Amino acid sequence: MPSTSVALDYGQMPKNEALEAFAFLLSQEISAPINNTLPEEASPSLGTDVECISYELRGLVDWVDDAIEELDEIYKEFSEEDWDGYGAVALSPEAYYEARKFLINVPTFLPKPEITAEPDGGIGLEWYKDRGYSYIVSVNGNKTISYAGLFGFESETHGKESFFGPLPKIVIDGLKRLYPYESE
Amino acid sequence: MNQNRNEISEEEPICRYLFHSNNYSASNGRVRYNAFLPLNGETSVFRIKNLSEEEVWDIGQREIADRRNKELKARGDVIASSIYEVGLGLEPEISSHHLHANIINWPKVKSEQILIARKVADSAELHLNPNS
């Protein structure tokens, strides 16, 4: 039986189109008989003449739900004092809500951050690329974001921004600086 | 010249005992920045020069884990110079143990603390507790 091979080069498509194409492809796979092939005529623009299935999902599959689930676990686990053995402060509900708000609003071109509990009760979100290349956002329930970025030799930044509504531009710019290709 | 710097030489190995997996990434073999963040202006560490691996783990177990009913999971080792290089100090604090010390001179601003803790963690070597 001939197998159908489809390659979608999402990197070359605008995000909305790419999502639409991917959703269409999934719906076809779900509704089609098992032995059927993807109808080439249904989506001639998808380039069905390529031999392997290659779904490049980076930046398209939303990791936010996973991250919030992880945040929930962390909040439960670190809601007691001295979780680190050195007298750490318990995470506060306010810090949790701010971290959640940040995760919901963060651009999805980014990979999922590591979520860390800080000894003063803050919650950190860290995008770690390599030694000397990382970006950390910290919230503590006081409507501010502390951020720190390392971008290689002698290139670094840190500061504080108020956090009432949307993410501060300086934070987005810092993350784009760490992930210049993903943000294009 | 910083007096503390005279007491703990730049070559001395220092360790931070870790009691929660959120302080390190075992899969990537690295210590996370939050492991070194200060509480009340200092970070508790131990001097481990000339100690065997067994002795190093034993100190963490007896001096902290047993006393605070925690499981000693890992430790992050750094050379004192990597602490001095980022502007921090090391001060022996021997009231609980003759090898205990604190990382001091942390800046007051949280974002700067995070930046420095990230740098210290970058220079740290993760050791998982073989007995954990």
Side-chain angles (χ1 to χ4, degrees):
Chain A
M1 180 181 303
S3 63
T4 299
S5 302
V6 178
L8 300 178
D9 189 357
Y10 291 112
Q12 301 301 311
M13 303 169 76
K15 192 167 182 179
N16 285 346
E17 278 184 43
L19 281 170
E20 214 172 280
F22 183 61
F24 173 79
L25 186 60
L26 280 181
S27 70
Q28 292 304 295
E29 286 188 334
I30 291 166
S31 62
I34 291 172
N35 62 352
N36 205 351
T37 58
L38 282 171
E40 292 180 10
E41 64 277 13
S43 184
S45 64
L46 293 182
T48 53
D49 56 343
V50 185
E51 283 192 348
C52 62
I53 295 180
S54 171
Y55 298 156
E56 174 51 57
L57 302 179
R58 188 185 182 91
L60 293 175
V61 170
D62 202 337
W63 45 258
V64 173
D65 287 348
D66 283 347
I68 287 176
E69 199 172 306
E70 188 182 334
L71 176 66
D72 290 349
E73 291 301 317
I74 284 174
Y75 177 64
K76 284 180 206 162
E77 195 169 350
F78 297 89
S79 291
E80 291 184 2
E81 305 283 332
D82 194 31
W83 55 264
D84 66 348
Y86 297 103
V89 176
L91 300 185
S92 68
E94 291 79 14
Y96 166 81
Y97 288 126
E98 279 186 0
R100 186 184 168 95
K101 186 166 85 171
F102 191 98
L103 286 170
I104 288 169
N105 287 290
V106 78
T108 51
F109 69 78
L110 296 163
K112 181 169 161 284
E114 291 180 356
I115 304 174
T116 56
E118 296 173 343
D120 65 353
I123 296 176
L125 308 173
E126 178 172 28
W127 284 267
Y128 183 94
K129 276 182 94 170
D130 203 346
R131 192 164 288 202
Y133 294 85
S134 68
Y135 198 90
I136 298 164
V137 167
S138 171
V139 293
N140 209 340
N142 53 9
K143 295 185 170 53
T144 60
I145 291 174
S146 294
Y147 62 88
L150 289 170
F151 308 103
F153 182 70
E154 296 294 324
S155 299
E156 61 189 47
T157 185
H158 72 89
K160 187 167 83 169
E161 287 286 323
S162 59
F163 183 39
F164 293 100
L167 305 189
K169 183 176 183 302
I170 197 167
V171 172
I172 300 296
D173 289 346
L175 288 163
K176 284 181 177 174
R177 188 174 173 190
L178 188 66
Y179 293 99
Y181 303 111
E182 289 84 345
S183 62
E184 282 176 354
Chain B
M1 174 76 73
N2 184 336
Q3 191 180 350
N4 300 322
R5 194 165 170 156
N6 286 333
E7 292 195 36
I8 298 180
S9 70
E10 293 195 343
E11 300 77 30
E12 261 197 69
I14 303 293
C15 94
R16 169 77 163 170
Y17 293 110
L18 306 176
F19 301 92
H20 202 289
S21 58
N22 193 254
N23 284 140
Y24 61 91
S25 169
S27 57
N28 296 318
R30 62 184 174 82
V31 182
R32 289 184 174 153
Y33 77 96
N34 59 343
F36 285 99
L37 278 177
L39 186 65
N40 300 323
E42 54 195 30
T43 304
S44 172
V45 291
F46 277 82
R47 306 165 72 177
I48 56 173
K49 186 179 179 182
N50 296 331
L51 297 182
S52 68
E53 274 291 296
E54 191 179 352
E55 288 170 326
V56 174
W57 288 118
D58 191 51
I59 289 174
Q61 185 62 45
R62 282 189 294 106
E63 297 303 319
I64 311 180
D66 289 348
R67 290 183 182 186
R68 302 184 192 180
N69 197 25
K70 298 286 180 189
E71 183 186 354
L72 177 54
K73 298 203 167 180
R75 67 175 211 260
D77 292 0
V78 292
I79 303 299
S81 61
S82 59
I83 293 170
Y84 295 136
E85 280 166 10
V86 294
L88 300 175
L90 278 164
E91 181 178 60
E93 194 290 299
I94 59 172
S95 61
S96 60
H97 191 276
H98 70 286
L99 293 176
H100 182 253
N102 286 320
I103 302 177
I104 57 170
N105 297 344
W106 286 94
K108 296 266 188 282
V109 177
K110 176 75 180 282
S111 61
E112 205 174 348
Q113 289 179 358
I114 292 172
L115 189 72
I116 289 174
R118 176 69 271 165
K119 290 179 181 176
V120 174
D122 267 351
S123 63
E125 191 175 293
L126 177 67
H127 296 262
L128 299 176
N129 187 355
N131 306 313
S132 178

